[in-house]
């Protein structure tokens, strides 16, 4: 099939040249078309390869590329015509990468069909291609990871994610990177390959409502029931804490220096969870002072032994 395509192209080009040769202007055009942009040999003996790139071949490639662009635009418009907006954005992102792969394949097929020795070019630039491949290794990892993210929907625009200790709200997912904004309005650019090499915490994949907690320790001898009441009161007093499910208090442990409690409550926007948690701590400290409940600090008993040696 490829040989037939090559013969058809050569026949059509030859017929076009015969028509042009009938006039002087046509002869001038033929001279331009036959101009050799590249003409060199590679290898010796039986391994020798002649690489020739003429103007007419280059023009043919440009025309084929234009035709390919028109066809791809038509296919894109046909496929995305009835897609939901969210799916359309994902398709466009993947399509932008696929389009360049198609362009590369078309160029190689056209050059090979017109007799341009593509294999010889690759052989001549093998070392360069290996170097480029190694340099672009991370880039391809990012692109493949981006496609996986868009397909399996592990991360979506609007999600709150945590990766390598950094938290941000996803604003845009591109083929190579993900753009997120932190709570202090700093832009976080995440290379997509990090999703494959690091643990990702998606705070909002199950919804924006999340369970948060505040840890606190009180001195031994404190009224634990009063402590529980105060902690629940501090949580209920905040506007961002949901009433359902209701806040809970856990008596976690008898610590070395304190009785350890855990206040658990529900927020409807975990992205700004640090703000209500801070407010609740302020309220707990205030209520503890009003009720004479102290928050101890770690204490250690130090025993010093001295050995006195009496001289004789």
């Amino acid at each position: 099939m490829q040989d037939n395509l090559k013969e058809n192209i050569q026949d059509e080009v030859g017929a076009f040249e015969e028509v042009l040769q009938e006039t002087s202007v046509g002869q001038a055009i033929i001279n331009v078309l036959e101009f050799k942009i590249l003409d060199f040999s590679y290898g010796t003996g039986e391994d020798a390869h002649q690489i020739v790139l003429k103007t007419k071949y280059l023009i043919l490639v440009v025309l084929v590329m234009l035709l390919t662009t028109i066809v791809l635009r038509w296919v894109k418009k046909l496929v995305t015509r009835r897609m939901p907006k969210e799916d359309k954005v994902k398709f466009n992102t993947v399509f932008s990468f696929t389009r360049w792969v198609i362009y590369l394949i078309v160029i190689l097929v056209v050059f090979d069909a017109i007799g341009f020795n593509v294999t010889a070019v690759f052989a001549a630039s093998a070392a360069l291609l290996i170097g480029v491949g190694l340099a672009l290794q991370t880039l391809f990892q990012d692109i493949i990871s981006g496609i996986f993210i868009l397909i399996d929907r592990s991360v979506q625009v609007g999600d709150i994610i945590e990766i390598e200790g950094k938290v941000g709200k996803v604003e845009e997912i591109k083929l190579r990177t993900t753009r997120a904004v932190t709570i202090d309005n700093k832009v976080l650019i995440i290379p997509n390959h990090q999703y494959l090499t690091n643990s990702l915490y998606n705070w909002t994949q199950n919804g924006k409502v999340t369970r948060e907690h505040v840890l606190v320790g009180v001195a031994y001898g404190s009224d634990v029931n009063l402590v529980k009441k105060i902690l629940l009161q501090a949580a209920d007093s905040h506007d961002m804490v949901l009433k359902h499910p209701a806040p809970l208090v856990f008596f976690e442990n008898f610590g070395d220096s304190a009785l350890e409690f855990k206040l658990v409550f529900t927020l409807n926007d975990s992205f700004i969870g640090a703000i209500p948690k801070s407010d609740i701590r302020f309220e707990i400290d205030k209520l503890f002072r009003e009720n004479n409940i102290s928050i101890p600090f770690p204490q250690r008993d130090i025993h010093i032994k001295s050995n006195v040696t009496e001289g004789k």
Side-chain angles (χ1 to χ4, degrees):
M1 180 177 179
Q2 186 173 350
D3 293 337
N4 293 334
L5 177 62
K6 185 184 297 185
E7 292 177 359
N8 291 335
I9 292 176
Q10 291 176 348
D11 291 341
E12 292 177 2
V13 172
F16 180 69
E17 289 178 352
E18 292 178 359
V19 173
L20 290 178
Q21 284 177 350
E22 297 179 358
T23 64
S24 58
V25 176
Q27 185 62 43
I29 295 176
I30 290 178
N31 293 336
V32 173
L33 294 177
E34 292 292 336
F35 178 76
K36 295 180 180 179
I37 301 174
L38 291 177
D39 186 7
F40 65 92
S41 299
Y42 172 75
T44 57
E46 296 180 354
D47 297 330
H49 298 283
Q50 184 74 19
I51 299 177
V52 178
L53 177 60
K54 297 181 180 180
T55 305
K56 61 182 180 181
Y57 298 153
L58 189 59
I59 294 175
L60 178 61
V61 171
V62 172
L63 293 176
V64 173
M65 292 297 292
L66 290 175
L67 179 61
T68 303
T69 301
I70 295 173
V71 172
L72 289 176
R73 287 180 179 176
W74 178 79
V75 172
K76 177 182 176 181
K77 184 177 180 180
L78 180 66
V79 174
T80 60
R81 182 173 52 184
R82 297 183 178 179
M83 272 189 179
K85 183 178 180 181
E86 183 179 351
D87 294 338
K88 186 180 296 186
V89 173
K90 295 178 181 180
F91 176 83
N92 290 339
T93 305
V94 176
F95 184 80
S96 63
F97 171 72
T98 307
R99 178 181 59 188
W100 292 110
V101 175
I102 294 175
Y103 282 154
L104 178 61
I105 295 174
V106 169
I107 289 176
L108 294 178
V109 170
V110 172
F111 271 128
D112 186 69
I114 61 181
F116 190 78
N117 197 332
V118 178
T119 304
V121 174
F122 284 153
S125 56
L128 176 61
L129 292 175
I130 292 174
V132 172
L134 293 175
L136 298 179
Q137 182 178 2
T138 304
L139 174 63
F140 286 119
Q141 287 180 352
D142 289 334
I143 292 175
I144 298 301
S145 301
I147 294 175
F148 287 157
I149 293 170
L150 294 169
I151 292 175
D152 64 18
R153 305 182 68 179
S154 57
V155 177
Q156 301 184 63
V157 174
D159 286 352
I160 300 172
I161 61 173
E162 177 182 352
I163 186 170
E164 291 188 336
K166 301 180 181 67
V167 179
K169 179 181 289 186
V170 177
E171 297 289 335
E172 185 180 15
I173 301 176
K174 295 183 178 180
L175 206 58
R176 193 182 69 82
T177 59
T178 297
R179 180 178 176 270
V181 178
T182 62
I183 190 172
D184 49 2
N185 202 33
K186 295 179 180 178
V187 178
L188 184 64
I189 305 298
I190 307 171
N192 287 335
H193 77 271
Q194 290 194 10
Y195 293 118
L196 300 181
T197 57
N198 296 281
S199 297
L200 170 70
Y201 297 93
N202 192 328
W203 290 10
T204 53
Q205 191 169 42
N206 293 329
K208 291 186 177 181
V209 176
T210 57
R211 299 283 277 179
E212 304 291 340
H213 68 269
V214 170
L215 301 176
V216 64
V218 300
Y220 275 90
S222 301
D223 186 344
V224 293
N225 290 318
L226 179 58
V227 171
K228 178 179 179 180
K229 179 181 178 181
I230 290 174
L231 293 178
L232 292 175
Q233 180 182 344
D236 290 332
S237 65
H238 202 284
D239 296 335
M240 294 187 62
V241 175
L242 300 181
K243 305 303 180 183
H244 302 284
L248 298 173
V249 174
F250 296 96
F251 190 160
E252 288 216 308
N253 198 11
F254 295 94
D256 294 337
S257 304
L259 303 175
E260 299 174 355
F261 291 85
K262 182 178 183 180
L263 172 62
V264 180
F265 49 91
T266 305
L267 298 177
N268 59 2
D269 191 353
S270 58
F271 185 58
I272 56 175
I275 297 175
K277 288 165 74 173
S278 175
D279 294 339
I280 289 173
R281 291 189 182 98
F282 276 113
E283 185 67 17
I284 290 173
D285 182 71
K286 174 187 174 184
L287 295 175
F288 276 4
R289 291 177 186 275
E290 292 176 355
N291 291 273
N292 296 319
I293 297 176
S294 61
I295 300 176
F297 53 87
Q299 300 180 16
R300 296 290 184 271
D301 294 330
I302 300 176
H303 300 277
I304 301 176
K305 294 182 179 181
S306 60
N307 295 325
V308 179
T309 303
E310 296 182 357
K312 293 183 179 180

